[in-house]
């Protein structure tokens, strides 16, 4: 049965405000979860005047004197949980990925705003990624109509260099792929059969990432990590006996710290590259938000090229923007809220990635013949089976060629 694309028309954006950290003392943003509004305090209000003395810089003081207010799909306050954010902002993506529709979940924000806490979390407060894996396999288990195969990759982009967190392979290239848009050549793809397999894979990649973090200064705040889930499913139409296959990809992207975007530091070398990736992403979002027909510079950075199909609209997208409530981070929080305001108007056109699958059909007929052979206990169908086998060998060869082209060229 064909699925129709879901109703979501634009990127879903929410804000998550983390609690103050131990070294932060002034809370400067007021969250109204009921009306999904976040506003900076109004210093001209007499009840807030005692705060004025606490601000060191006059520039900061002047710019924050007027209250800034933003409205989003959802704003999550300090006591919110990642599970709630998952249920309300991302669960529909998991469901749709299982029906052949691509999905992407981003965490955006300055360093220490809570991006990784939201994406990965910890065993006590699981992040969005474990929630996706748990929900996905629960849904697969309940679905008796489709056969699923799930594969994962875990990569990161640091200094415009793509690194495989599952194998340590470095300097990986991107190529166009007819199924998934753009893929990373040589990134290991591991089949996972349950939630535990997925968590083990994530933990393996994390160890690798943490190790690199100890080698390079500010590494984790400057790299983008991308956990990709590839879902293949097939279903037989009982009326026509034909098999339809679907494939989709779910990108979970923990972005580099956005503060580098706003600093007026040198555009060369390492920092320049980090800026480049995030600058291009912001630029792409700005252009998409304008909604006019124009050149979109996906190819200007590794991150945007890899995600070009998703950003181009063939994906459901949720962006979780993480912010600090602290007065010290006022400008960073403000710029994240502005980025979020632009992102929320970007239009989406998700498609069901579906095709008639000849290989699956051959496999099914082959199994059917085997079953019949077993039933009648004779070799009558051997000839027919060998024909199918020859055909299958052919398709295996084709598959291998296709694989080699995709991964090693
Ligand atoms: P980022 O990945 O954006 O640099 P982290 O996720 O590492 O930031 O968060 C920075 C610190 O704040 C960590 O110690 C993390 O545990 C804590 N933190 C972030 N968000 C929350 C939250 N919502 N609740 C409790 N602690 C949080
Ligand atoms: Mg982080």
């Amino acid at each position: 049965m064909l699925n129709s694309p879901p109703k979501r028309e634009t990127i879903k954006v929410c804000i998550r405000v983390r609690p103050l950290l131990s070294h932060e003392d002034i809370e400067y943003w007021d969250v109204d979860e009921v009306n999904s509004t976040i506003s900076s305090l109004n210093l001209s209000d007499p009840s807030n005047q005692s705060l004025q003395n606490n601000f060191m810089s006059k520039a900061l003081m002047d710019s924050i004197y007027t209250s800034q207010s933003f409205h989003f799909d959802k704003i999550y306050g300090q006591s919110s949980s990642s599970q709630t954010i998952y249920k309300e902002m991302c669960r529909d993506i998991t469901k749709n990925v299982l029906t052949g529709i691509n999905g992407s979940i981003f965490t955006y924000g300055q360093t220490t705003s809570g991006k990784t806490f939201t994406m990965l979390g910890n065993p006590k407060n699981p992040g969005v990624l474990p929630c996706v894996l748990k929900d996905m396999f629960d849904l697969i288990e309940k679905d008796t109509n489709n056969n699923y195969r799930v594969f994962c990759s875990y990569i990161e982009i640091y200094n415009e260099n793509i690194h495989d967190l599952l194998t340590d392979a470095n300097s990986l290239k991107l190529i166009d792929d007819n199924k998934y848009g753009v893929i990373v050549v040589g990134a290991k793809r591991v089949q996972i059969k349950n939630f535990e397999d997925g968590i083990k894979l994530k933990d393996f990649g994390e160890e690798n990432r943490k190790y690199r973090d100890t080698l390079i200064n500010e590494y984790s705040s400057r790299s983008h990590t991308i956990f990709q889930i590839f879902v293949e499913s097939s279903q037989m139409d009982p009326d026509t006996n034909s098999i339809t296959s679907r494939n989709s990809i779910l990108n979970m992207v923990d972005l580099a710290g956005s503060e580098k975007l706003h600093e007026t530091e040198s555009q060369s070398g390492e920092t320049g590259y980090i800026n480049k990736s995030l600058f291009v992403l912001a630029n792409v979002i700005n252009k998409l938000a304008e909604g006019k027909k124009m050149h979109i510079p996906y190819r200007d950075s590794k991150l945007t090229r890899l995600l070009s199909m998703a950003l181009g609209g063939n994906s459901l997208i949720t962006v979780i923007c993480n912010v600090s409530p602290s007065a010290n981070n006022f400008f960073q929080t403000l710029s994240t809220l502005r980025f979020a305001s632009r992102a929320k108007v970007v239009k989406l056109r998700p498609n069901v990635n579906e095709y008639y699958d000849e290989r699956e059909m051959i496999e099914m007929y082959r199994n059917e013949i085997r079953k019949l052979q077993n039933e009648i206990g004779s070799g009558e169908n051997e000839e027919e089976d060998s024909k199918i086998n020859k055909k299958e060998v052919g398709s295996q060869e084709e598959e291998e060629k296709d694989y080699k082209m995709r991964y090693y060229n």
Side-chain angles (χ1 to χ4, degrees):
M1 229 159 294
L2 297 191
N3 292 287
S4 51
K7 297 267 176 295
R8 252 204 215 199
E9 283 168 0
T10 53
I11 294 185
K12 232 185 198 180
V13 179
C14 69
I15 307 295
R16 183 183 205 179
V17 186
R18 67 152 164 74
L20 285 176
L21 298 179
S22 54
H23 63 275
E24 298 170 335
D25 56 358
I26 302 169
E27 213 166 283
Y28 195 67
W29 293 87
D30 188 36
V31 173
D32 177 349
E33 289 192 52
V34 177
N35 296 308
S36 301
T37 308
I38 179 166
S39 318
S40 60
L41 296 185
N42 185 352
L43 287 191
S44 53
D45 183 331
S47 63
N48 292 325
Q49 274 182 4
S50 60
L51 288 177
Q52 288 182 18
N53 304 333
N54 292 304
F55 292 105
M56 291 138 307
S57 126
K58 179 156 183 338
L60 178 65
M61 184 70 208
D62 289 345
S63 61
I64 58 184
Y65 212 79
T66 350
S67 172
Q68 315 265 342
S69 193
F70 295 83
H71 178 80
F72 293 98
D73 290 335
K74 214 62 190 168
I75 305 202
Y76 295 95
Q78 301 183 13
S79 55
S80 61
S81 75
S82 301
Q83 288 101 311
T84 305
I85 298 180
Y86 169 73
K87 276 193 206 123
E88 296 179 355
M89 298 298 298
C90 311
R91 185 151 204 253
D92 67 323
I93 292 190
T94 310
K95 283 186 180 169
N96 279 292
V97 164
L98 294 180
T99 69
I101 291 162
N102 299 325
S104 305
I105 300 170
F106 292 84
T107 53
Y108 181 95
Q110 74 173 110
T111 301
T112 74
S113 60
K115 297 182 295 299
T116 307
F117 182 88
T118 302
M119 185 57 88
L120 301 179
N122 53 46
K124 224 170 120 200
N125 301 295
V128 168
L129 193 154
C131 290
V132 165
L133 288 169
K134 178 82 180 65
D135 211 15
M136 183 173 277
F137 282 102
D138 284 352
L139 290 165
I140 287 177
E141 211 162 276
K142 283 191 205 130
D143 184 348
T144 49
N145 297 324
N146 291 284
N147 290 317
Y148 292 95
R149 293 198 304 162
V150 181
F151 301 84
C152 294
S153 294
Y154 201 9
I155 56 150
E156 69 185 339
I157 304 177
Y158 174 77
N159 218 359
E160 288 301 270
N161 188 339
I162 303 178
H163 171 80
D164 189 351
L165 288 172
L166 301 181
T167 65
D168 234 4
N170 232 322
S171 304
L172 300 177
K173 301 271 177 295
L174 295 171
I175 53 164
D176 293 314
D177 176 80
N178 51 11
K179 263 193 192 174
Y180 296 110
V182 175
I183 56 160
V184 182
V185 190
K188 189 167 181 181
R189 248 186 232 181
V190 179
Q191 184 168 12
I192 58 167
K193 298 203 165 154
N194 49 45
F195 167 73
E196 288 76 20
D197 283 355
I199 293 296
K200 272 189 211 149
L201 205 69
K202 178 222 42 142
D203 289 344
F204 183 85
E206 273 308 289
E207 281 307 308
N208 205 338
R209 202 182 57 74
K210 279 187 195 141
Y211 174 69
R212 286 167 70 82
D213 199 24
T214 59
L215 301 181
I216 305 171
N217 193 27
E218 287 195 69
Y219 178 82
S220 72
S221 66
R222 293 169 175 218
S223 64
H224 311 279
T225 58
I226 307 169
F227 191 90
Q228 296 189 294
I229 306 183
F230 301 85
V231 178
E232 297 176 2
S233 64
S234 52
Q235 183 184 47
M236 196 176 80
D237 183 333
D239 299 331
T240 61
N241 272 0
S242 64
I243 288 186
T244 309
S245 289
R246 295 184 209 104
N247 61 270
S248 52
I249 179 167
L250 173 47
N251 301 298
M252 274 171 281
V253 189
D254 184 356
L255 290 164
S258 59
E259 65 280 2
K260 300 292 174 210
L261 266 181
H262 315 288
E263 287 169 13
T264 51
E265 60 207 346
S266 145
Q267 290 301 296
S268 61
E270 190 189 61
T271 316
Y273 274 126
I274 303 303
N275 282 351
K276 177 178 171 182
S277 242
L278 269 179
F279 263 128
V280 176
L281 178 68
N283 198 8
V284 163
I285 297 278
N286 280 345
K287 293 201 165 176
L288 291 169
E290 280 183 43
K292 294 183 202 142
K293 275 211 157 120
M294 64 171 99
H295 170 71
I296 310 287
Y298 299 113
R299 296 182 81 93
D300 286 2
S301 81
K302 294 277 190 328
L303 180 76
T304 47
R305 182 160 177 233
L306 177 62
L307 301 174
S308 53
M309 186 159 80
L311 294 166
N314 187 9
S315 173
L316 293 175
I317 301 180
T318 288
V319 183
I320 305 167
C321 289
N322 297 268
V323 295
S324 151
S326 158
N328 303 355
N329 297 128
F330 174 76
F331 287 114
Q332 296 305 331
T333 297
L334 189 60
S335 86
T336 297
L337 295 172
R338 285 181 178 151
F339 171 86
S341 302
R342 289 191 296 274
K344 73 178 186 181
V345 302
V346 173
K347 295 246 180 332
L348 304 175
R349 292 167 278 100
N351 297 318
V352 180
N353 306 312
E354 192 163 55
Y355 56 97
Y356 166 77
D357 196 329
E358 200 177 302
R359 278 197 302 247
E360 288 278 354
M361 288 293 284
I362 291 168
E363 182 60 27
M364 189 193 76
Y365 283 130
R366 194 168 157 249
N367 287 337
E368 200 57 32
I369 288 166
R370 274 218 198 96
K371 220 167 85 193
L372 287 172
Q373 273 180 342
N374 285 340
E375 271 172 27
I376 59 173
S378 80
E380 275 173 35
N381 289 315
E382 258 170 23
E383 202 185 320
E384 201 159 342
D385 200 12
S386 81
K387 272 188 215 157
I388 301 275
N389 267 329
K390 269 185 205 148
K391 230 178 165 181
E392 192 199 39
V393 168
S395 63
Q396 268 175 7
E397 276 170 5
E398 263 168 42
E399 190 173 31
E400 221 173 287
K401 218 163 78 191
D402 184 40
Y403 181 86
K404 280 185 185 147
M405 289 226 336
R406 278 160 50 185
Y407 291 86
Y408 299 110
N409 272 353

